[in-house]
Amino acid sequence: MTAYDNEQVDYEDPNFRIKIWTISHPPQANIQYGPWHYHEEVEWITVLKGMMIIETTQQTYTLQAGDVVMLGSNELHRSHKYGQSPLIYIVCHADMSAFMDPSLLSYLAAFTGRSANLTGLNDTLRKYPLCIQQIHELLHEMLRDMTDKGRGYELAVNASLKRLLYLLIQIDDEQMIEPMEHQLAQKLRPALAYIEGQLDSPCQISDISSKLNYNSSYFAKLFKKGMGMTFTSYVQMRRMKRAEQLLLTETWSVTEISGRVGFTSPAQFYHLFRRHFGCTPRQFIEQRNTHKM
């Protein structure tokens, strides 16, 4: 990776957008930091053995066995092995938008990291050693379940991730994780339902604001406040999610699928898909088929 690299996370199963693995470094001193990088995914790191340093542009965290640190979406950071002892740690990357179902609409913006700085919770977390221990154990469980892949492991990992998020809410003294106001959620629900029904055709903010009797400029601000992203970004995200589903469940051509998710230009669809998933639609299908074998 080059400095300030936008890291693309390579999911083993592209339809289950969480990756958790163990990294080991040999018992020797290392004075070099890794490169600065960032990614859309929220990240958790917990140390099993040795010591390491995680640096962001705002803070430096020194971690030893049992410690946990979290990094919000698009948080610029780099790591460094500390001392001459072996270093072993667990890394978990999760695309939070993939785990926020409609029942959790109020928390979508808070946990996707686009409007909340989850990294800021690390200082609060240090006040709750029991919570650190619980998150450490949950990451262990998720690693075990992702490695063993027993029947229904996706449900177990999903439940552990939701439990982890609940723990963060419980210790959030500064209320950094701010759910959407109930009234705002009620206003946006019809808009989100409309978007879901229009993913295969043009979906303009002027059309939806008119249907809901809002001024377009006012509705754009309302939408961004509630969802933590612009109307256009949200529609693109939902189109990519629909494309993902169609690629894995239908036998249609990529060109046909691009039309089914509202693109008149297959080239535009390819460009956005590659930016979102880090691969072409055909590579996405091949990765999924390989995973099934």
Side-chain angles (χ1 to χ4, degrees), residues 45-121:
I45 296 171
T46 186
V47 177
L48 304 180
K49 185 177 181 179
M51 296 182 66
M52 70 183 299
I53 295 174
I54 301 294
E55 183 181 8
T56 71
T57 56
Q58 302 295 324
Q59 186 64 277
T60 298
Y61 305 97
T62 301
L63 310 177
Q64 56 187 353
D67 286 340
V68 172
V69 71
M70 71 188 104
L71 299 160
S73 175
N74 291 309
E75 180 74 62
L76 194 64
H77 62 281
R78 61 179 182 171
S79 61
H80 168 51
K81 177 183 177 297
Y82 185 83
Q84 298 187 11
S85 300
L87 172 64
I88 305 175
Y89 59 100
I90 295 173
V91 180
C92 176
H93 287 162
D95 177 358
M96 297 309 299
S97 63
F99 291 89
M100 294 288 106
D101 57 65
S103 68
L104 298 176
L105 169 65
S106 297
Y107 288 98
L108 177 63
F111 280 122
T112 55
R114 292 178 173 87
S115 64
N117 181 13
L118 295 182
T119 309
L121 273 173

Coordinates of all heavy atoms in Angstrom, one line a residue, residues 45-121:
I45 N -9.4 -4.0 16.9 CA -8.1 -4.8 17.1 C -8.0 -5.2 18.5 O -8.3 -4.3 19.4 CB -6.9 -3.9 16.7 CG1 -6.9 -3.6 15.2 CG2 -5.6 -4.6 17.1 CD1 -5.9 -2.5 14.8
T46 N -7.7 -6.4 18.8 CA -7.4 -6.8 20.2 C -6.1 -7.7 20.2 O -5.9 -8.5 19.3 CB -8.6 -7.6 20.8 OG1 -8.3 -7.9 22.2 CG2 -8.8 -9.0 20.0
V47 N -5.3 -7.4 21.2 CA -4.0 -8.0 21.2 C -4.0 -9.3 22.0 O -4.6 -9.4 23.1 CB -2.9 -7.1 21.9 CG1 -1.6 -7.8 22.0 CG2 -2.8 -5.8 21.0
L48 N -3.4 -10.4 21.5 CA -3.4 -11.7 22.2 C -2.1 -11.9 22.9 O -2.0 -12.4 24.0 CB -3.6 -12.8 21.2 CG -4.8 -12.8 20.4 CD1 -4.9 -14.0 19.4 CD2 -6.1 -12.8 21.3
K49 N -1.0 -11.3 22.3 CA 0.4 -11.5 22.9 C 1.3 -10.4 22.4 O 1.2 -10.0 21.2 CB 0.9 -12.8 22.5 CG 2.3 -13.2 23.1 CD 2.7 -14.6 22.7 CE 4.1 -14.9 23.4 NZ 4.5 -16.3 23.0
G50 N 2.1 -9.8 23.3 CA 3.0 -8.8 22.9 C 2.4 -7.4 23.0 O 1.4 -7.2 23.7
M51 N 3.1 -6.4 22.4 CA 2.6 -5.0 22.5 C 2.7 -4.4 21.1 O 3.5 -4.7 20.3 CB 3.5 -4.2 23.4 CG 3.4 -4.7 24.9 SD 4.4 -3.7 26.0 CE 3.6 -2.1 25.9
M52 N 1.8 -3.4 20.8 CA 1.8 -2.7 19.6 C 1.2 -1.3 19.8 O 0.6 -1.0 20.8 CB 0.9 -3.5 18.5 CG -0.6 -3.4 18.8 SD -1.6 -4.4 17.7 CE -1.2 -3.5 16.1
I53 N 1.5 -0.5 18.8 CA 1.0 0.9 18.8 C 0.1 1.1 17.6 O 0.4 0.8 16.5 CB 2.1 1.9 18.8 CG1 3.0 1.8 20.1 CG2 1.6 3.3 18.7 CD1 4.2 2.6 20.1
I54 N -1.1 1.7 17.9 CA -2.0 2.2 16.8 C -2.0 3.7 16.9 O -2.3 4.3 17.9 CB -3.4 1.6 17.0 CG1 -3.4 0.1 17.0 CG2 -4.3 2.1 15.9 CD1 -3.0 -0.5 15.7
E55 N -1.7 4.3 15.8 CA -1.7 5.8 15.7 C -2.7 6.3 14.7 O -2.8 5.8 13.6 CB -0.3 6.3 15.3 CG -0.2 7.8 15.3 CD 1.2 8.2 14.8 OE1 2.0 7.4 14.4 OE2 1.5 9.5 14.9
T56 N -3.5 7.3 15.2 CA -4.4 8.0 14.3 C -3.9 9.4 14.2 O -2.9 9.8 14.8 CB -5.9 8.1 14.8 OG1 -5.9 8.9 16.0 CG2 -6.4 6.6 15.2
T57 N -4.5 10.3 13.5 CA -4.1 11.7 13.4 C -4.3 12.5 14.6 O -3.7 13.5 14.8 CB -4.8 12.4 12.2 OG1 -6.2 12.3 12.4 CG2 -4.4 11.8 10.9
Q58 N -5.2 11.9 15.5 CA -5.5 12.6 16.8 C -5.0 12.0 18.0 O -4.8 12.6 19.0 CB -7.1 12.7 16.9 CG -7.8 13.4 15.7 CD -7.4 14.8 15.6 OE1 -7.2 15.5 16.6 NE2 -7.3 15.3 14.4
Q59 N -4.7 10.7 18.0 CA -4.4 9.9 19.2 C -3.4 8.8 18.9 O -3.4 8.2 17.8 CB -5.7 9.4 19.8 CG -5.5 8.8 21.2 CD -5.0 9.7 22.3 OE1 -3.8 10.0 22.4 NE2 -6.0 10.3 23.0
T60 N -2.7 8.4 19.9 CA -1.8 7.2 19.9 C -2.2 6.2 21.0 O -2.4 6.6 22.1 CB -0.3 7.6 20.0 OG1 0.0 8.4 18.9 CG2 0.6 6.3 20.0
Y61 N -2.4 4.9 20.6 CA -2.8 3.9 21.6 C -1.7 2.8 21.7 O -1.3 2.3 20.7 CB -4.1 3.3 21.1 CG -5.2 4.3 20.9 CD1 -5.5 4.7 19.6 CD2 -6.0 4.8 21.9 CE1 -6.5 5.6 19.3 CE2 -7.0 5.7 21.7 CZ -7.3 6.1 20.4 OH -8.3 7.0 20.2
T62 N -1.3 2.6 22.9 CA -0.3 1.5 23.2 C -1.1 0.3 23.7 O -1.8 0.5 24.8 CB 0.7 2.0 24.2 OG1 1.5 3.1 23.6 CG2 1.7 0.8 24.4
L63 N -1.1 -0.8 23.0 CA -1.9 -2.0 23.4 C -1.0 -3.1 23.8 O 0.0 -3.4 23.2 CB -2.7 -2.4 22.2 CG -3.6 -1.3 21.5 CD1 -4.3 -1.9 20.3 CD2 -4.5 -0.6 22.4
Q64 N -1.5 -3.8 24.8 CA -0.9 -5.1 25.2 C -2.0 -6.2 25.3 O -3.1 -5.9 25.1 CB -0.1 -4.9 26.5 CG -1.0 -4.4 27.7 CD -0.1 -4.1 28.9 OE1 1.0 -4.4 29.0 NE2 -0.8 -3.5 29.9
A65 N -1.6 -7.4 25.7 CA -2.5 -8.5 25.7 C -3.8 -8.2 26.4 O -3.8 -7.7 27.6 CB -1.9 -9.7 26.3
G66 N -4.9 -8.4 25.8 CA -6.2 -8.1 26.4 C -6.8 -6.8 26.0 O -8.0 -6.6 26.2
D67 N -6.0 -5.9 25.5 CA -6.5 -4.5 25.2 C -7.3 -4.5 23.9 O -7.0 -5.4 23.0 CB -5.3 -3.5 25.1 CG -4.8 -3.1 26.4 OD1 -5.5 -3.3 27.4 OD2 -3.6 -2.6 26.5
V68 N -8.1 -3.6 23.7 CA -9.0 -3.4 22.5 C -8.9 -2.0 22.0 O -8.9 -1.1 22.9 CB -10.4 -3.8 22.8 CG1 -11.3 -3.5 21.6 CG2 -10.5 -5.3 23.1
V69 N -8.9 -1.8 20.7 CA -9.1 -0.4 20.2 C -10.0 -0.5 19.0 O -10.0 -1.6 18.3 CB -7.7 0.2 19.7 CG1 -7.1 -0.5 18.5 CG2 -7.8 1.7 19.5
M70 N -10.8 0.5 18.7 CA -11.7 0.5 17.6 C -11.4 1.7 16.7 O -11.0 2.8 17.2 CB -13.1 0.5 18.0 CG -13.6 1.7 18.7 SD -15.3 1.5 19.3 CE -14.8 1.4 21.1
L71 N -11.6 1.6 15.4 CA -11.3 2.7 14.5 C -12.6 2.9 13.6 O -13.1 1.9 13.0 CB -10.1 2.3 13.6 CG -8.8 2.1 14.4 CD1 -7.8 1.3 13.5 CD2 -8.2 3.4 14.8
G72 N -13.1 4.1 13.6 CA -14.3 4.4 12.8 C -14.0 4.4 11.3 O -12.9 4.3 10.8
S73 N -15.1 4.4 10.6 CA -15.1 4.4 9.1 C -14.2 5.6 8.6 O -14.4 6.7 9.1 CB -16.5 4.5 8.5 OG -16.5 4.6 7.1
N74 N -13.3 5.3 7.7 CA -12.4 6.3 7.0 C -11.5 7.0 8.0 O -11.0 8.1 7.7 CB -13.3 7.3 6.3 CG -14.0 6.7 5.1 OD1 -13.3 6.1 4.2 ND2 -15.3 6.9 4.9
E75 N -11.2 6.4 9.1 CA -10.2 6.9 10.1 C -8.8 6.6 9.6 O -8.4 5.4 9.5 CB -10.5 6.3 11.5 CG -9.5 6.8 12.5 CD -9.8 8.2 13.0 OE1 -10.9 8.4 13.6 OE2 -9.0 9.1 12.9
L76 N -8.1 7.6 9.3 CA -6.7 7.5 8.9 C -5.9 6.9 10.1 O -5.9 7.4 11.2 CB -6.1 8.8 8.4 CG -4.8 8.8 7.6 CD1 -5.0 8.0 6.3 CD2 -4.3 10.2 7.4
H77 N -5.1 5.8 9.9 CA -4.4 5.2 10.9 C -3.2 4.3 10.4 O -3.1 4.0 9.2 CB -5.3 4.3 11.8 CG -5.9 3.1 11.0 ND1 -7.0 3.3 10.2 CD2 -5.6 1.8 11.0 CE1 -7.3 2.1 9.7 NE2 -6.5 1.2 10.1
R78 N -2.3 4.0 11.3 CA -1.2 3.1 11.0 C -0.8 2.4 12.3 O -1.2 2.8 13.4 CB 0.0 3.9 10.4 CG 0.6 4.9 11.4 CD 1.8 5.6 10.7 NE 2.4 6.6 11.6 CZ 3.6 7.2 11.4 NH1 4.2 6.9 10.2 NH2 4.1 8.1 12.2
S79 N 0.0 1.3 12.1 CA 0.3 0.4 13.3 C 1.8 0.2 13.4 O 2.5 0.4 12.4 CB -0.4 -0.9 13.2 OG 0.0 -1.6 12.0
H80 N 2.3 -0.2 14.6 CA 3.7 -0.4 14.8 C 3.8 -1.5 15.9 O 3.2 -1.4 16.9 CB 4.3 0.9 15.3 CG 5.6 0.8 15.9 ND1 6.7 0.2 15.2 CD2 6.2 1.3 17.0 CE1 7.8 0.3 15.9 NE2 7.5 1.0 17.1
K81 N 4.7 -2.5 15.6 CA 5.0 -3.5 16.6 C 6.0 -2.9 17.6 O 7.0 -2.2 17.3 CB 5.7 -4.7 15.9 CG 6.1 -5.8 16.9 CD 6.9 -6.9 16.2 CE 7.3 -7.9 17.2 NZ 8.3 -7.4 18.1
Y82 N 5.6 -3.1 18.9 CA 6.4 -2.4 20.0 C 7.2 -3.5 20.7 O 6.7 -4.5 21.1 CB 5.5 -1.7 21.0 CG 6.2 -1.0 22.1 CD1 6.6 0.3 21.8 CD2 6.4 -1.5 23.3 CE1 7.3 1.1 22.8 CE2 7.0 -0.8 24.3 CZ 7.5 0.5 24.1 OH 8.1 1.2 25.0
G83 N 8.5 -3.3 20.9 CA 9.4 -4.2 21.6 C 9.9 -5.4 20.8 O 9.6 -5.5 19.6
Q84 N 10.6 -6.3 21.5 CA 11.2 -7.4 20.8 C 10.4 -8.7 21.0 O 10.9 -9.8 20.5 CB 12.6 -7.6 21.3 CG 13.5 -6.4 21.0 CD 15.0 -6.6 21.3 OE1 15.4 -7.7 21.6 NE2 15.8 -5.6 21.3
S85 N 9.3 -8.7 21.8 CA 8.5 -9.9 22.0 C 7.7 -10.2 20.8 O 7.4 -9.3 20.0 CB 7.6 -9.7 23.2 OG 8.4 -9.5 24.4
P86 N 7.3 -11.5 20.6 CA 6.3 -11.8 19.5 C 5.1 -11.0 19.7 O 4.6 -10.7 20.8 CB 6.1 -13.3 19.7 CG 7.2 -13.8 20.5 CD 7.6 -12.7 21.4
L87 N 4.4 -10.7 18.5 CA 3.2 -9.9 18.6 C 2.1 -10.7 17.8 O 2.3 -11.1 16.7 CB 3.3 -8.5 17.9 CG 2.0 -7.7 17.7 CD1 1.4 -7.4 19.0 CD2 2.3 -6.5 16.9
I88 N 1.0 -11.0 18.5 CA -0.1 -11.7 17.9 C -1.4 -10.9 18.2 O -1.6 -10.6 19.4 CB -0.3 -13.1 18.4 CG1 1.0 -13.9 18.2 CG2 -1.4 -13.8 17.7 CD1 1.0 -15.3 18.8
Y89 N -2.2 -10.6 17.2 CA -3.4 -9.8 17.5 C -4.5 -10.2 16.5 O -4.2 -10.7 15.4 CB -3.1 -8.3 17.5 CG -2.6 -7.7 16.2 CD1 -3.4 -7.1 15.3 CD2 -1.2 -7.8 15.9 CE1 -2.9 -6.5 14.1 CE2 -0.7 -7.2 14.8 CZ -1.5 -6.6 13.9 OH -1.0 -6.1 12.7
I90 N -5.7 -9.9 16.9 CA -6.9 -10.2 16.1 C -7.4 -8.8 15.4 O -7.4 -7.8 16.1 CB -8.1 -10.8 16.9 CG1 -7.7 -12.1 17.4 CG2 -9.3 -10.9 16.0 CD1 -8.7 -12.7 18.4
V91 N -7.7 -8.9 14.1 CA -8.2 -7.7 13.4 C -9.6 -8.1 12.9 O -9.8 -9.2 12.3 CB -7.3 -7.3 12.2 CG1 -7.9 -6.1 11.5 CG2 -5.9 -7.0 12.7
C92 N -10.6 -7.2 13.1 CA -11.9 -7.4 12.6 C -12.4 -6.2 11.8 O -12.3 -5.1 12.3 CB -12.9 -7.6 13.7 SG -14.6 -7.8 13.2
H93 N -12.7 -6.4 10.5 CA -13.3 -5.3 9.7 C -14.7 -5.7 9.4 O -15.1 -6.8 9.0 CB -12.5 -5.3 8.3 CG -11.2 -4.7 8.4 ND1 -10.2 -4.9 7.4 CD2 -10.6 -3.9 9.3 CE1 -9.1 -4.2 7.7 NE2 -9.3 -3.6 8.9
A94 N -15.6 -4.7 9.6 CA -17.0 -4.9 9.3 C -17.6 -3.7 8.6 O -17.4 -2.6 8.9 CB -17.8 -5.1 10.7
D95 N -18.3 -4.1 7.5 CA -19.1 -3.1 6.7 C -20.4 -2.9 7.4 O -21.3 -3.7 7.3 CB -19.3 -3.6 5.3 CG -20.2 -2.7 4.4 OD1 -20.6 -1.6 5.0 OD2 -20.4 -3.0 3.3
M96 N -20.5 -1.9 8.3 CA -21.6 -1.7 9.2 C -22.9 -1.5 8.4 O -24.0 -1.9 8.9 CB -21.4 -0.6 10.1 CG -20.2 -0.8 11.1 SD -20.2 -2.4 11.9 CE -21.7 -2.2 12.8
S97 N -22.9 -0.9 7.3 CA -24.1 -0.7 6.5 C -24.8 -2.0 6.1 O -26.0 -2.1 6.0 CB -23.9 0.1 5.3 OG -23.0 -0.5 4.4
A98 N -24.0 -3.1 6.0 CA -24.5 -4.4 5.6 C -25.2 -5.1 6.8 O -26.0 -6.0 6.6 CB -23.4 -5.3 5.1
F99 N -25.0 -4.6 8.0 CA -25.6 -5.2 9.2 C -26.7 -4.4 9.8 O -27.3 -4.8 10.8 CB -24.5 -5.5 10.2 CG -23.5 -6.6 9.8 CD1 -22.4 -6.3 9.1 CD2 -23.8 -7.9 10.2 CE1 -21.5 -7.3 8.7 CE2 -22.9 -8.9 9.7 CZ -21.8 -8.6 9.0
M100 N -27.0 -3.2 9.2 CA -28.0 -2.4 9.8 C -29.3 -2.6 9.0 O -29.6 -2.0 8.0 CB -27.6 -0.9 9.6 CG -26.4 -0.5 10.5 SD -26.8 -0.4 12.3 CE -26.0 -1.9 12.8
D101 N -30.1 -3.6 9.5 CA -31.4 -3.9 8.8 C -32.4 -2.8 9.1 O -32.2 -1.9 10.0 CB -31.9 -5.2 9.2 CG -32.1 -5.3 10.7 OD1 -32.9 -4.6 11.3 OD2 -31.3 -6.1 11.4
P102 N -33.6 -2.8 8.4 CA -34.5 -1.7 8.6 C -34.9 -1.4 10.1 O -35.3 -0.3 10.5 CB -35.7 -2.1 7.8 CG -35.1 -2.9 6.7 CD -34.0 -3.7 7.3
S103 N -35.0 -2.5 10.9 CA -35.4 -2.3 12.3 C -34.3 -1.5 13.1 O -34.6 -1.0 14.1 CB -35.5 -3.7 13.0 OG -34.3 -4.3 13.1
L104 N -33.1 -1.3 12.5 CA -32.1 -0.6 13.2 C -31.8 0.7 12.5 O -30.7 1.3 12.6 CB -30.8 -1.4 13.2 CG -30.9 -2.7 14.0 CD1 -29.6 -3.5 13.9 CD2 -31.2 -2.4 15.5
L105 N -32.8 1.2 11.7 CA -32.7 2.4 11.0 C -32.2 3.6 11.8 O -31.3 4.4 11.4 CB -34.1 2.8 10.4 CG -34.2 4.2 9.8 CD1 -33.3 4.4 8.6 CD2 -35.6 4.5 9.4
S106 N -32.6 3.7 13.1 CA -32.2 4.8 13.9 C -30.7 4.9 14.2 O -30.2 5.9 14.5 CB -32.9 4.7 15.3 OG -34.3 4.9 15.1
Y107 N -30.0 3.7 14.0 CA -28.6 3.6 14.3 C -27.7 3.6 13.1 O -26.5 3.5 13.2 CB -28.3 2.4 15.2 CG -28.8 2.6 16.6 CD1 -30.0 2.0 17.0 CD2 -28.1 3.3 17.6 CE1 -30.5 2.2 18.3 CE2 -28.5 3.4 18.9 CZ -29.7 2.9 19.2 OH -30.2 3.0 20.5
L108 N -28.3 3.6 11.9 CA -27.5 3.5 10.7 C -26.4 4.5 10.6 O -25.3 4.2 10.4 CB -28.5 3.6 9.5 CG -27.7 3.5 8.1 CD1 -27.1 2.2 7.9 CD2 -28.7 3.7 7.0
A109 N -26.8 5.8 10.7 CA -25.8 6.8 10.6 C -24.7 6.7 11.7 O -23.5 7.0 11.4 CB -26.4 8.2 10.6
A110 N -25.1 6.4 12.9 CA -24.2 6.3 14.0 C -23.1 5.3 13.8 O -22.0 5.5 14.1 CB -24.9 6.1 15.3
F111 N -23.5 4.1 13.3 CA -22.6 3.0 13.2 C -21.9 2.8 11.9 O -21.0 2.0 11.8 CB -23.3 1.7 13.6 CG -23.4 1.5 15.1 CD1 -24.6 1.3 15.7 CD2 -22.3 1.5 15.9 CE1 -24.7 1.2 17.1 CE2 -22.4 1.4 17.3 CZ -23.6 1.2 17.9
T112 N -22.4 3.5 10.9 CA -21.6 3.4 9.6 C -20.4 4.3 9.7 O -19.5 4.2 8.9 CB -22.5 3.9 8.4 OG1 -23.0 5.2 8.7 CG2 -23.6 2.9 8.1
G113 N -20.4 5.2 10.7 CA -19.2 6.0 11.0 C -19.2 7.3 10.1 O -18.2 8.0 10.2
R114 N -20.2 7.5 9.3 CA -20.2 8.7 8.4 C -20.5 9.9 9.2 O -20.2 11.0 8.8 CB -21.1 8.5 7.3 CG -20.6 7.4 6.3 CD -21.6 7.2 5.2 NE -21.1 6.3 4.2 CZ -21.3 5.0 4.2 NH1 -21.9 4.4 5.2 NH2 -20.8 4.2 3.3
S115 N -21.2 9.8 10.3 CA -21.5 11.0 11.1 C -21.1 10.9 12.5 O -21.2 11.9 13.3 CB -23.0 11.2 11.1 OG -23.7 10.2 11.7
A116 N -20.6 9.7 13.0 CA -20.1 9.6 14.3 C -18.7 9.1 14.3 O -18.3 8.2 13.5 CB -21.0 8.6 15.1
N117 N -17.9 9.7 15.2 CA -16.5 9.2 15.3 C -16.4 8.2 16.3 O -16.1 8.4 17.5 CB -15.6 10.4 15.6 CG -14.1 10.1 15.7 OD1 -13.7 9.0 15.2 ND2 -13.3 11.0 16.2
L118 N -16.5 6.9 15.9 CA -16.4 5.8 16.9 C -15.1 5.7 17.5 O -14.9 5.2 18.6 CB -16.8 4.5 16.2 CG -18.2 4.4 15.6 CD1 -18.4 3.0 15.0 CD2 -19.2 4.6 16.7
T119 N -14.0 6.2 16.8 CA -12.7 6.1 17.4 C -12.6 6.9 18.7 O -11.9 6.6 19.6 CB -11.7 6.7 16.4 OG1 -11.8 6.1 15.1 CG2 -10.2 6.5 16.9
G120 N -13.4 7.9 18.8 CA -13.5 8.7 20.0 C -13.9 8.0 21.3 O -13.7 8.4 22.4
L121 N -14.6 6.8 21.1 CA -15.0 6.0 22.2 C -13.9 5.3 22.9 O -14.1 4.7 24.0 CB -16.1 5.0 21.7 CG -17.5 5.4 21.6 CD1 -18.4 4.4 21.0 CD2 -18.1 5.8 23.0

